[in-house]
Amino acid sequence: MNHLTHSDVTALLLAISVLLLCARALGEFFQRLKQPAILGELIAGILLGPTVLGAIYPELQGMLFPTDGPVAIALEAFTTISITLFLFIAGMEVDMSTVWRQGRSTIAVSVLGLLVPFAVGWLAAFFFPYRLGFEGDLSVHVFAMFFATASSITALPVIVKILMDLNMFRSDLGMIIVGAAVVNDLLGWLIFAVILSLMAKSGAGGMPIQTTILLTFGLAALLLTVGRWAIEKLVVWAQAYLTWPGGIIGFSLGLSLLCAALTEAIGIHAIFGAFLFGVAFGENRHLREHTKAILDRFVSFFFAPIFFAGIGLKVNFLTGFDFGVVAVVLGLASVGKIYGAMWGAKLAGIAKQEAYAIGFAMNARGAMEIILGMLALQAGLIREKLFVALVVMALVTSMTSGSLMQRMLKRNKPAKLVDLLTAKRFTARLKATTADECIDELVGLVGVGEKVSMEKIAREVHSREQLLPTGLENGVAVPHARLSEIEEPIVCVGLSEEGIDFNAPDGSKARVIFLLLTSADKHASQLELLADIAKTFGTQTAVDNAVECVGFTEFLAHVRSPHIPQA
Amino acid sequence: MNHLTHSDVTALLLAISVLLLCARALGEFFQRLKQPAILGELIAGILLGPTVLGAIYPELQGMLFPTDGPVAIALEAFTTISITLFLFIAGMEVDMSTVWRQGRSTIAVSVLGLLVPFAVGWLAAFFFPYRLGFEGDLSVHVFAMFFATASSITALPVIVKILMDLNMFRSDLGMIIVGAAVVNDLLGWLIFAVILSLMAKSGAGGMPIQTTILLTFGLAALLLTVGRWAIEKLVVWAQAYLTWPGGIIGFSLGLSLLCAALTEAIGIHAIFGAFLFGVAFGENRHLREHTKAILDRFVSFFFAPIFFAGIGLKVNFLTGFDFGVVAVVLGLASVGKIYGAMWGAKLAGIAKQEAYAIGFAMNARGAMEIILGMLALQAGLIREKLFVALVVMALVTSMTSGSLMQRMLKRNKPAKLVDLLTAKRFTARLKATTADECIDELVGLVGVGEKVSMEKIAREVHSREQLLPTGLENGVAVPHARLSEIEEPIVCVGLSEEGIDFNAPDGSKARVIFLLLTSADKHASQLELLADIAKTFGTQTAVDNAVECVGFTEFLAHVRSPHIPQA
């Protein structure tokens, strides 16, 4: 069989499209529930794989996702390329400069946050391997080393997302966490690379292990020093002389796959090369955000979902699930990681509450843990039971660390306009022609069920408006009031084609009017909402586009999916 | 063989990265020479394939790009996915509304521009098949139908690019050409789909031909009417309720692959489904430019180069080259197309010169012709000789139609800042502190070799500056003069950290200063350059970024690769 037949092509395209569509659908669903998208993507694979679909309709499952023949090979090749590109993107997020910026604290958190769970993991796996899903025909030494590494890994992308959600990414604490996670990630992956080559006994082409290890560290050192410098020059050159952004996109993807081929050839997995290249490439002040966005979005929403859903096709999560193993893995890894990182933070002189928050943040594992587990499973380093336990551990830690951090720091997530908009509290055609009428009309949209009467709301908003008019520039107005009776912010929106005079400084008539009602206790909510409105409706074009909306869905689409001007 | 071994993965990654890097490198090279990138991408494949590398180092070639075994299957699968996604993007560019806008002229040009070359091609292929590389074991009827279709196809993307280069895209003439090309493309692909299914004798799964044809037209009609409407609703919904742009990216790619699987299943090639979905998806006023850019750039600079270079791996262009066949194919196709489209244009009352220009524009074939040829070759519809001739025809028509149009309409390409910047005429550190000193310093950069003396240039620029100061807003100044002695525009650029007073209306000191010298005869050049500068340096950020440049390459990178703000 050297060519794909007509039905092979059909099967391949069907398999990839079904994987992608289901993964994205469930990914979006879980994101709506404020859970990580990867959870939904994995579940999509579990539903389509042997665990569910295979148990109910084994024939259909085998037809859609064959484990044999050219389509199986093609799918495997495609997921290999997917994971390689995903690691390239993950590498791009690693910003080494954060490590230097916070210096001592970062080093303390990362070193203890790595060593403690590593030691705990190693001891547990070495002395009680069977409790961790170890099976007789493996090497206990390599197994213990792997479990130690798996316990100490951290997922940079998850942490970055949690910090951004909490508006803490640019804070000192946020930078310490990110810096420590960067060091953790780099060291963790290097150790894992060494384990994989140990495992392979003799590297590819009969290369001795020492050579593989030496080449691995050599390549890492080279890429992160001279390589980084050369890539920076290359990027400037490419931006000056090649088509843009096509030049950079083609070359960065090509070079990341080339580095992947190189590491695969020296006996460690392809993804290390792509990851290292990503680190060297991404940390580059000349690289444009637009180029990064194209690479990141396409890989994250095309290749990554296919890979993560593909994991569910390979493993039976029902037969592989062992409650004892899951509990032990989750407990050991979390305790080691949280206490290790916290201990490091305390040594660096960070207060107790914040040190705990750092520990919780560093405990998020996410995609990286799952990829590590998958590679170990493929390499025969672990069996299904431990793999399933690692996946559960990765998901549980990712899902909990945000809210644990939030509770520890008593931080509220900033109020966001997009979360507060509802169809009931929106009207595309305001009847009002004056500011007073408009306020009454918008207050009318609040509806029943609030602890405060509409009359009181209207009174408060009117008196606030008389104090100082709320018309902004570009045709936006934000009548508002703080009320002691309400807890969560309320936003009502009205559009007016003719415009209503809210005494804006630029004399413009308001065409998009937001009524903002916030709790009298939470001072910040109102400012956060105002900032969000100013950002979203800061340009004339944004307001013009919004006014043209004929319904709530279109309006919401404008807020959630902004028009970004292209070159 | 059901799994990719260590060395298979290495080989696969190496093959893809080498293909991509070489294709992009040669693609960029030919773009510098003002030729289409696809020319370079094809040549990269020819160099890496049996034609060149295979002839010199057959073993190395066989190792890099095996034709047998799992790596060959994986590569074939990857190029199949690549071409499917490329057609999705090509479909996105098809804007049916252009057809209705110009009405009668568009219909006349497209119908005659399709029918005449179709008739010429059919007659030639039916009566003189051997002159066109026909070989004995094929069906003359199907062959003639194919050649007729191949003669009448037009390449929308190439035409769009040519019109944009000539600044004619939004003109009436430009819209007629684009509209006609859209109709041409849609009809041409549908006819080709029918031929392929005729060729397969009985469709997939023993489906009778009539059913396949019926389903093809049914699917096309459905997607372009109800489908378009449903997709528009879906896009608004996704933009309102899903993550952005991830939601749209995942779903559009997933659905395009699903449509591809569907058309493959009903017995026509996968790419038709992707193309039709692209047409239905792209024509959507709610879709954001940013989303389109991500899809377009990634596919155009990752998947497409790999596919086009991959063509060179499959065909030996040396043994397949037959001068007689190439000349006949090129001549027949061009004459039929140019005269057909011209005739249509004349019937619609368009003047002779412009009618010729329309004919030349419609003659550009580009990527579409090559894809058509590749599919026919794979389906056994044609042999290597005709395929090579079609490729040459596609390239020659793409390379010449722009300059033929330009000559016919006596249009100059607009002067572009980026084409006029040189390292010699750039200084990152102006010594001047006054406008007069600055002008002298910049004039000093013009250098010898011009027909006019530096003294005269300086005199003209100074007197122009005294007439009306040339300081613009945001810290840009554009001292300039029109000189009868020079032909091509000259641009000198200087950066000044402290700023130089050029009497700007906003009182800002100029930090980026352009000296513009244009021909006294060509009134437009100066305005085009001024417009280009205003666009590129219209924001404070753009000027700030430019002033920080330490050398010419960095500065050029800022002009060619702008910073686009991200959400």
Side-chain angles (χ1 to χ4, degrees):
Chain A
M1 265 316 302
N2 287 315
H3 287 289
L4 297 172
T5 63
H6 202 62
S7 61
D8 288 341
V9 172
T10 310
L12 176 66
L13 292 171
L14 193 66
I16 292 180
S17 61
V18 169
L19 271 183
L20 177 59
L21 290 172
C22 292
R24 286 301 304 138
L26 284 179
E28 291 287 343
F29 176 74
F30 280 94
Q31 276 194 298
R32 295 289 290 178
L33 305 179
K34 309 273 172 207
Q35 298 304 332
I38 189 180
L39 175 61
E41 294 168 358
L42 278 167
I43 291 178
I46 294 172
L47 293 177
L48 293 169
T51 319
V52 178
L53 187 63
I56 309 173
Y57 301 108
E59 275 179 33
L60 177 66
Q61 206 276 333
M63 220 175 65
L64 258 176
F65 305 105
T67 53
D68 214 18
V71 178
I73 292 176
L75 271 177
E76 197 184 329
F78 195 79
T79 48
T80 304
I81 292 166
S82 298
I83 183 62
T84 306
L85 293 178
F86 180 70
L87 263 283
F88 163 57
I89 297 298
M92 268 173 63
E93 283 194 43
V94 172
D95 182 359
M96 302 274 285
S97 65
T98 52
V99 181
W100 318 130
R101 225 173 292 157
Q102 298 294 333
R104 208 169 59 103
S105 323
T106 296
I107 302 292
V109 172
S110 70
V111 169
L112 285 173
L114 189 72
L115 283 186
V116 174
F118 195 93
V120 170
W122 193 88
L123 289 169
F126 192 77
F127 291 108
F128 311 101
Y130 293 93
R131 298 247 46 178
L132 293 167
F134 177 78
E135 284 173 34
D137 54 337
L138 304 168
S139 149
V140 181
H141 283 91
V142 180
F143 181 79
M145 281 292 282
F146 167 75
F147 188 72
T149 311
S151 301
S152 49
I153 209 162
T154 278
L156 191 55
V158 180
I159 291 180
V160 169
K161 185 159 183 326
I162 291 173
L163 292 172
M164 284 189 162
D165 277 355
L166 294 174
N167 234 353
M168 282 180 59
F169 187 62
R170 310 240 162 251
S171 69
D172 278 358
L173 199 63
M175 281 293 114
I176 292 173
I177 293 171
V178 171
V182 165
V183 177
N184 235 290
D185 251 26
L186 278 180
L187 290 179
W189 282 104
L190 276 176
I191 296 171
F192 182 60
V194 172
I195 298 173
L196 271 190
S197 61
L198 279 175
M199 168 75 197
K201 277 169 198 109
S202 65
M207 204 181 273
I209 308 168
Q210 303 92 296
T211 317
T212 299
I213 295 176
L214 210 71
L215 284 173
T216 306
F217 280 91
L219 184 73
L222 195 76
L223 265 174
L224 299 182
T225 55
V226 183
R228 234 194 83 190
W229 174 85
I231 289 167
E232 193 164 319
K233 297 276 165 218
L234 192 71
V235 164
V236 175
W237 179 86
Q239 289 180 162
Y241 296 104
L242 303 185
T243 55
W244 184 80
I248 304 270
I249 290 173
F251 284 110
S252 62
L253 291 170
L255 288 175
S256 72
L257 292 175
L258 192 66
C259 287
L262 195 67
T263 48
E264 184 84 28
I266 65 174
I268 55 174
H269 198 282
I271 61 169
F272 296 107
F275 179 74
L276 285 173
F277 178 78
V279 176
F281 174 74
E283 202 180 0
N284 185 327
R285 68 197 168 85
H286 296 288
L287 193 63
R288 305 283 186 265
E289 288 302 319
H290 185 62
T291 317
K292 276 192 195 174
I294 291 174
L295 290 169
D296 178 75
R297 303 297 182 277
F298 199 95
V299 172
S300 303
F301 296 106
F302 179 69
F303 290 109
I306 292 172
F307 171 77
F308 288 116
I311 288 176
L313 298 183
K314 292 190 189 149
V315 177
N316 190 323
F317 278 75
L318 213 60
T319 56
F321 190 88
D322 180 320
F323 187 77
V325 177
V326 169
V328 173
V329 168
L330 183 60
L332 277 179
S334 298
V335 169
K337 191 76 181 181
I338 294 171
Y339 279 89
M342 196 188 69
W343 188 19
K346 278 189 181 166
L347 280 185
I350 290 167
K352 194 179 157 192
Q353 296 267 319
E354 295 191 326
Y356 262 106
I358 289 176
F360 289 135
M362 297 289 287
N363 195 33
R365 318 294 173 117
M368 295 299 147
E369 187 79 51
I370 294 169
I371 293 167
L372 193 85
M374 193 74 225
L375 295 187
L377 183 70
Q378 280 174 345
L381 208 63
I382 60 172
R383 291 285 184 274
E384 276 202 352
K385 276 184 189 169
L386 180 52
F387 174 70
V388 171
L390 288 176
V391 170
V392 174
M393 187 262 275
L395 292 175
V396 171
T397 53
S398 299
M399 288 161 70
T400 53
S401 61
S403 57
L404 285 172
M405 259 185 91
Q406 196 180 342
R407 200 164 302 173
M408 196 48 70
L409 295 173
K410 300 199 177 66
R411 259 187 178 259
N412 291 313
K413 286 198 188 185
K416 278 183 137 182
L417 182 61
V418 70
D419 296 330
L420 298 167
L421 297 174
T422 61
K424 276 190 189 170
R425 288 172 177 165
F426 171 84
T427 174
R429 293 286 162 260
L430 280 170
K431 290 181 202 79
T433 54
T434 68
D436 282 346
E437 283 170 28
C438 177
I439 289 172
D440 289 335
E441 197 174 344
L442 287 175
V443 170
L445 295 176
V446 171
V448 288
E450 299 296 327
K451 283 187 200 151
V452 55
S453 72
M454 297 226 203
E455 288 71 32
K456 172 146 190 220
I457 298 176
R459 208 161 53 232
E460 294 282 331
V461 179
H462 279 298
S463 70
R464 169 66 191 78
E465 190 70 30
Q466 269 151 25
L467 206 66
L468 196 70
T470 60
L472 304 177
E473 296 196 337
N474 295 327
V476 176
V478 282
H480 56 265
R482 291 214 182 91
L483 298 159
S484 50
E485 291 89 345
I486 64 169
E487 266 296 306
E488 291 304 310
I490 294 173
V491 176
C492 300
V493 188
L495 306 180
S496 164
E497 221 166 334
E498 292 79 33
I500 297 167
D501 191 3
F502 269 85
N503 274 311
D506 63 349
S508 69
K509 284 193 170 184
R511 295 187 298 152
V512 185
I513 301 105
F514 296 90
L515 174 71
L516 307 180
L517 306 174
T518 50
S519 162
D521 306 330
K522 291 181 191 163
H523 187 76
S525 316
Q526 196 177 72
L527 298 179
E528 285 156 0
L529 287 176
L530 284 172
D532 208 358
I533 290 171
K535 194 180 151 215
T536 313
F537 293 93
T539 65
Q540 192 60 52
T541 325
V543 175
D544 290 345
N545 284 328
V547 174
E548 274 174 26
C549 292
V550 293
F552 175 68
T553 306
E554 274 190 30
F555 181 77
L556 187 58
H558 275 290
V559 177
R560 195 186 285 268
S561 311
H563 289 268
I564 299 174
Q566 301 297 307
Chain B
M1 264 318 302
N2 286 314
H3 286 290
L4 297 171
T5 65
H6 202 61
S7 60
D8 288 342
V9 172
T10 311
L12 176 67
L13 292 170
L14 194 64
I16 293 180
S17 61
V18 169
L19 271 184
L20 177 59
L21 290 172
C22 293
R24 286 303 303 140
L26 284 180
E28 290 286 344
F29 176 75
F30 280 94
Q31 276 193 296
R32 296 290 288 178
L33 304 179
K34 308 273 172 206
Q35 298 304 332
I38 189 179
L39 175 62
E41 294 169 359
L42 278 167
I43 291 178
I46 294 172
L47 293 177
L48 293 169
T51 319
V52 178
L53 187 63
I56 309 173
Y57 301 109
E59 275 180 33
L60 177 66
Q61 207 275 333
M63 219 175 65
L64 259 176
F65 305 104
T67 51
D68 214 18
V71 179
I73 291 175
L75 272 177
E76 197 185 328
F78 195 79
T79 47
T80 304
I81 292 166
S82 299
I83 183 61
T84 306
L85 293 178
F86 180 71
L87 264 283
F88 163 57
I89 298 297
M92 269 173 62
E93 283 193 44
V94 171
D95 183 358
M96 303 274 284
S97 64
T98 52
V99 181
W100 316 131
R101 228 174 288 157
Q102 297 295 333
R104 209 169 58 102
S105 325
T106 296
I107 302 293
V109 172
S110 70
V111 168
L112 285 174
L114 189 73
L115 282 187
V116 174
F118 196 91
V120 170
W122 192 88
L123 290 170
F126 192 77
F127 291 106
F128 311 100
Y130 292 95
R131 298 246 46 175
L132 294 166
F134 177 77
E135 284 173 34
D137 53 337
L138 304 169
S139 147
V140 179
H141 284 91
V142 179
F143 181 80
M145 281 293 281
F146 167 75
F147 188 72
T149 312
S151 300
S152 50
I153 208 162
T154 278
L156 192 55
V158 180
I159 291 179
V160 169
K161 191 169 178 318
I162 291 173
L163 292 172
M164 284 190 161
D165 278 354
L166 294 175
N167 234 353
M168 282 180 58
F169 187 62
R170 309 238 163 255
S171 69
D172 279 359
L173 198 63
M175 281 292 114
I176 292 174
I177 293 171
V178 171
V182 165
V183 177
N184 234 290
D185 251 26
L186 278 179
L187 290 179
W189 282 105
L190 277 176
I191 296 170
F192 182 59
V194 172
I195 298 173
L196 270 190
S197 61
L198 279 177
M199 168 72 197
K201 276 166 198 113
S202 66
M207 203 182 274
I209 309 168
Q210 303 91 296
T211 318
T212 300
I213 295 177
L214 210 70
L215 283 173
T216 305
F217 280 90
L219 184 74
L222 195 76
L223 266 173
L224 298 182
T225 55
V226 183
R228 234 194 83 189
W229 174 84
I231 289 167
E232 191 163 319
K233 297 277 164 216
L234 191 72
V235 164
V236 175
W237 179 85
Q239 288 181 163
Y241 296 104
L242 304 185
T243 54
W244 184 79
I248 303 271
I249 290 173
F251 284 109
S252 62
L253 291 171
L255 289 175
S256 72
L257 292 176
L258 192 66
C259 286
L262 194 68
T263 47
E264 185 84 29
I266 64 173
I268 54 173
H269 198 282
I271 62 171
F272 296 107
F275 179 74
L276 286 174
F277 178 77
V279 176
F281 174 74
E283 201 179 2
N284 184 326
R285 68 199 166 85
H286 296 288
L287 193 63
R288 305 282 184 266
E289 287 302 319
H290 185 62
T291 316
K292 276 192 194 173
I294 292 174
L295 291 169
D296 178 75
R297 304 297 182 277
F298 200 95
V299 173
S300 302
F301 296 106
F302 179 69
F303 289 110
I306 293 172
F307 170 78
F308 289 115
I311 289 176
L313 298 183
K314 292 190 190 148
V315 178
N316 191 322
F317 278 74
L318 213 61
T319 56
F321 189 88
D322 180 320
F323 186 77
V325 176
V326 169
V328 172
V329 168
L330 183 60
L332 278 179
S334 298
V335 168
K337 191 76 181 182
I338 294 171
Y339 279 89
M342 198 187 69
W343 188 19
K346 278 188 181 165
L347 280 186
I350 292 167
K352 194 179 158 194
Q353 295 268 320
E354 295 191 326
Y356 261 107
I358 289 177
F360 290 135
M362 297 289 287
N363 195 33
R365 318 294 173 118
M368 295 299 146
E369 186 77 52
I370 295 170
I371 293 168
L372 192 85
M374 193 73 224
L375 294 187
L377 184 69
Q378 281 174 346
L381 209 60
I382 60 172
R383 291 284 184 275
E384 276 201 354
K385 276 184 190 169
L386 180 54
F387 174 69
V388 171
L390 288 176
V391 170
V392 173
M393 187 262 274
L395 292 174
V396 171
T397 53
S398 299
M399 288 160 69
T400 52
S401 62
S403 57
L404 284 172
M405 258 186 91
Q406 197 181 340
R407 199 163 305 171
M408 197 48 69
L409 295 173
K410 300 200 176 65
R411 259 188 178 257
N412 291 313
K413 286 198 187 186
K416 278 184 138 183
L417 184 61
V418 70
D419 296 331
L420 298 168
L421 297 174
T422 62
K424 276 190 189 169
R425 289 172 176 163
F426 172 84
T427 173
R429 291 289 161 259
L430 280 170
K431 291 182 203 77
T433 54
T434 67
D436 282 345
E437 285 171 26
C438 176
I439 289 171
D440 289 335
E441 199 174 343
L442 287 175
V443 170
L445 295 176
V446 171
V448 287
E450 299 297 328
K451 283 188 202 151
V452 54
S453 72
M454 297 225 204
E455 288 70 32
K456 169 143 192 226
I457 298 176
R459 208 161 53 233
E460 294 283 332
V461 178
H462 280 299
S463 70
R464 168 67 191 76
E465 189 71 30
Q466 269 151 23
L467 206 68
L468 197 71
T470 59
L472 305 177
E473 296 198 339
N474 295 326
V476 176
V478 282
H480 56 265
R482 292 214 182 91
L483 298 159
S484 50
E485 291 89 345
I486 65 169
E487 265 295 308
E488 291 305 309
I490 295 173
V491 177
C492 300
V493 188
L495 307 179
S496 165
E497 220 163 337
E498 291 79 33
I500 297 167
D501 192 2
F502 269 86
N503 275 312
D506 63 349
S508 69
K509 285 191 169 185
R511 296 187 297 152
V512 185
I513 300 104
F514 296 90
L515 174 71
L516 308 179
L517 306 173
T518 49
S519 162
D521 307 329
K522 293 182 191 163
H523 187 77
S525 315
Q526 196 179 70
L527 298 179
E528 285 156 1
L529 287 176
L530 283 172
D532 208 359
I533 290 171
K535 194 180 152 215
T536 313
F537 293 93
T539 65
Q540 192 61 53
T541 324
V543 175
D544 290 344
N545 284 329
V547 174
E548 274 174 27
C549 291
V550 293
F552 175 69
T553 306
E554 274 189 32
F555 181 78
L556 187 58
H558 276 289
V559 177
R560 195 186 286 268
S561 312
H563 289 268
I564 298 174
Q566 300 298 308

